[in-house]
Amino acid sequence: MSRSRNLVVSSLGALALAVSLGAAAAQPLTVVELFTSQGCSSCPPANANLIKVKDQPGVLALSFNVTYWDYLGWKDIFGKQEFTQRQVSYEPRLGHDGPFTPQVVVNGHADVVGAAPGEIEKLIAVSGQTNGPLVSLDGGKINIGAGKAPAGRADVWLVRYAKGVVEVPVARGENTGRTLPHANVVHALKKLGSWTGDATAYRLPAASGGLSTAVLVQSPGGGPILAAATD
């Protein structure tokens, strides 16, 4: 085989490898959101169940700590009003009168309490993965491919979360004296803009404090999650 042909074959092989790696990086995800609170005595089993699925291939598990149980004597150290509002926005479409904890929402369109053994896994199995546009995080940019945007547009959300498990000792309230584990705790949530179906790019601000990044493309008003990516 000639040297020039060797170079062509080698280049094609490298291209195929790059395409393969790119496809793997952009594989569809199942987004699992747990709405929880350190002030809720029913939440620890759901926290533990999220830990069981957080490393499952193709799953993006996120803990959103809400604020509406803070009055019971313990202010959730991760709780933010924007996380509470995210949960509130889901409830009408899911058929609920208002928010409750624990609650697990998968791909933005199906939910369970999440406290019973195997409950989250079953919902993941029947919900499948997102099937919207390809999303990738690379070189300080968020790239969203072309596709169909239901109702003409979708929201683009930037999520910063602490990958792994953190243990929180609770000194007051319903969980007094307990140390509660949390998986992939969300620390920040920001709407970046919209996706209307055309290929779109956003600047990706650098994360601070060792936080990981996820991007969600989601139908407005607490609708289904169309696509997601994480670093």
Side-chain angles (χ1 to χ4, degrees):
M1 187 181 288
S2 68
R3 182 171 182 273
S4 61
R5 188 174 179 186
N6 273 331
L7 289 173
V8 171
V9 172
S10 176
S11 297
L12 289 174
L15 178 60
L17 178 60
V19 170
S20 174
L21 291 174
Q27 67 176 328
L29 296 172
T30 300
V31 182
V32 181
E33 302 174 68
L34 168 64
F35 294 95
T36 184
S37 172
Q38 294 155 13
C40 161
S41 60
S42 301
C43 286
N47 290 3
N49 287 336
L50 193 73
I51 291 171
K52 295 176 183 177
V53 304
K54 73 178 183 63
D55 295 322
Q56 186 173 315
V59 169
L60 171 59
L62 300 169
S63 291
F64 287 91
N65 286 49
V66 298
T67 57
Y68 47 83
W69 297 126
D70 288 355
Y71 77 93
L72 294 177
W74 176 258
K75 181 176 172 58
D76 193 301
I77 66 171
F78 301 129
K80 291 189 176 181
Q81 185 58 40
E82 54 264 40
F83 304 161
T84 300
Q85 186 54 49
R86 179 169 179 81
Q87 185 187 20
V88 168
S89 71
Y90 274 136
E91 304 306 354
R93 290 178 184 243
L94 293 173
H96 303 301
D97 294 332
F100 58 94
T101 55
Q103 182 183 25
V104 173
V105 180
V106 174
N107 289 342
H109 65 73
D111 76 307
V112 291
V113 172
E119 200 172 13
I120 300 176
E121 289 91 336
K122 289 177 183 176
L123 189 57
I124 290 173
V126 300
S127 296
Q129 297 173 321
T130 55
N131 58 3
L134 291 176
V135 182
S136 63
L137 313 180
D138 184 50
K141 286 186 177 180
I142 302 164
N143 296 300
I144 306 172
K148 183 177 181 181
R153 72 177 183 90
D155 296 330
V156 180
W157 293 97
L158 176 65
V159 181
R160 304 290 197 188
Y161 68 101
K163 189 177 293 185
V165 177
V166 61
E167 304 271 353
V168 179
V170 178
R172 295 181 300 279
E174 289 191 347
N175 289 310
T176 299
R178 302 184 68 174
T179 298
L180 306 183
H182 298 271
N184 294 357
V185 174
V186 176
H187 287 257
L189 175 69
K190 180 181 180 181
K191 182 181 173 183
L192 294 179
S194 297
W195 175 75
T196 59
D198 295 327
T200 305
Y202 285 93
R203 185 179 68 85
L204 177 60
S208 61
L211 295 178
S212 295
T213 298
V215 171
L216 310 177
V217 180
Q218 184 169 18
S219 293
I225 294 174
L226 309 177
T230 188
D231 58 6

